[in-house]
Amino acid sequence: MSKDTVSELAMIRRLVGGISEDDLSDVDYYVSEHLGIFIPSVGFCKYAIRVRHTHPAYSFILFFSKEQRMIPVNIELPAGHYLATAIAPGLPHEEEKTDFFTRYMAILVSRELFEKLYAGYSSTKPEQYYWEQFVIEREIMVYLKKFMSEYENCPAGSENLLEAIAIMITHQLIRSLLKIENKVNYITEKFEIEKIIEYIHQCFGKKLTVAKLAKLANMSESHFIRVFKKETGLAPREFLIKTRLDKARKLLRSKTRTITEVSLQCGFSSTSHFSSSFTRHMGISPSEYQNDYDFYEKQNKQDFYKN
């Protein structure tokens, strides 16, 4: 384990608790001193399914769809909002392990930051939230994605900017918990595309067609392709392949599955199709990547996908 990895794991533990690298093997994460974002990517977070685990930080789960399988929804979900839950520090809980994992975004905010900002809204202390359900405007995704981008790219000044974005995200969470309205004009098509992106991340291993995605977005196929490319920079098929290859990279790094198993889990029609797609986009074969992924990740961090 490198010094940087040790330091990063220490930051994660200050927010999450006694988590290990292995617990995070199927999770994408982005972390700063006072805030961390954790997304089950190809399977359950092993720490999340640990019975009666706790967090030293405030924990918020943001669901990309109300058709999730973790909790029964007992509040109304208005258009243009996400369903979210809150859990206070130190309260034991766990996620039930089922045959199908739910993709969600866990946002952990340090007790220090959350309670400091909360004091600006209320003279009382925050409640002992336990799976407290609330809704949050989709605008928060702008800040969450900016946080993730800063973490991944690490430009000069990113450490300070991450903390600034963490403050903005925390304000959004507090305002939503306290039902403080924030007037925002939403563009319907943009949110339909966001919905499809999350659907692709959740169902990347299933058979997905452009026609099916367009129907889910309530658009004609040709219009859907135009809007999707405008919002993401990629055609739907290109985005789907890129997503599947991203998931495959993560699975290959764990070295717990064969290349055939990775191919099937990521929705490729055959191992040969997977190998040819992986080699064409990455410049190396799946077996070469699996055997020496550290080298290839470092070499291609800035522009991993070849045009």
Side-chain angles (χ1 to χ4, degrees), residues 205-257:
K206 297 181 180 181
K207 183 177 180 180
L208 300 177
T209 64
V210 174
K212 180 177 181 178
L213 297 176
K215 185 176 180 181
L216 288 171
N218 300 308
M219 300 179 194
S220 69
E221 191 169 334
S222 58
H223 184 61
F224 170 70
I225 292 171
R226 286 195 299 272
V227 176
F228 191 95
K229 189 164 186 177
K230 178 183 176 183
E231 293 297 329
T232 67
L234 295 172
R237 285 193 182 89
E238 294 171 333
F239 186 90
L240 176 58
I241 292 172
K242 180 182 182 302
T243 300
R244 285 174 169 167
L245 291 176
D246 282 341
K247 307 294 186 182
R249 283 167 54 202
K250 195 168 192 70
L251 292 170
L252 289 170
R253 290 200 296 268
S254 72
K255 299 186 178 180
T256 58
R257 299 167 179 85

Side-chain angles (χ1 to χ4, degrees), residues 248-292:
R249 283 167 54 202
K250 195 168 192 70
L251 292 170
L252 289 170
R253 290 200 296 268
S254 72
K255 299 186 178 180
T256 58
R257 299 167 179 85
T258 66
I259 289 173
T260 298
E261 289 171 335
V262 171
S263 169
L264 291 173
Q265 188 169 343
C266 292
F268 288 91
S269 57
S270 65
T271 304
S272 60
H273 178 216
F274 167 58
S275 295
S276 62
S277 296
F278 193 97
T279 302
R280 183 171 64 255
H281 285 81
M282 317 298 268
I284 53 172
S285 70
S287 58
E288 289 174 321
Y289 178 82
Q290 190 174 50
N291 291 332
D292 200 7

Side-chain angles (χ1 to χ4, degrees), residues 187-205:
I187 302 173
T188 303
E189 287 184 342
K190 181 179 179 66
F191 289 122
E192 289 297 332
I193 297 302
E194 288 288 348
K195 181 178 74 175
I196 297 303
I197 289 171
E198 294 310 328
Y199 181 81
I200 290 172
H201 277 289
Q202 177 71 62
C203 303
F204 63 91

Side-chain angles (χ1 to χ4, degrees), residues 59-63 70 83-87 104-107 131 134:
S59 175
F60 301 90
I61 306 296
L62 187 154
F63 296 102
M70 281 179 60
L83 172 68
T85 65
I87 300 176
Y104 57 78
M105 184 176 287
I107 308 166
W131 293 109
F134 64 102

Side-chain angles (χ1 to χ4, degrees), residues 28-61:
D28 293 331
Y29 59 85
Y30 316 82
V31 64
S32 68
E33 183 179 356
H34 289 291
L35 187 141
I37 298 172
F38 304 86
I39 307 172
S41 177
V42 294
F44 288 93
C45 170
K46 296 172 187 175
Y47 189 79
I49 59 176
R50 191 179 299 174
V51 177
R52 293 184 64 79
H53 71 273
T54 62
H55 302 300
Y58 283 85
S59 175
F60 301 90
I61 306 296

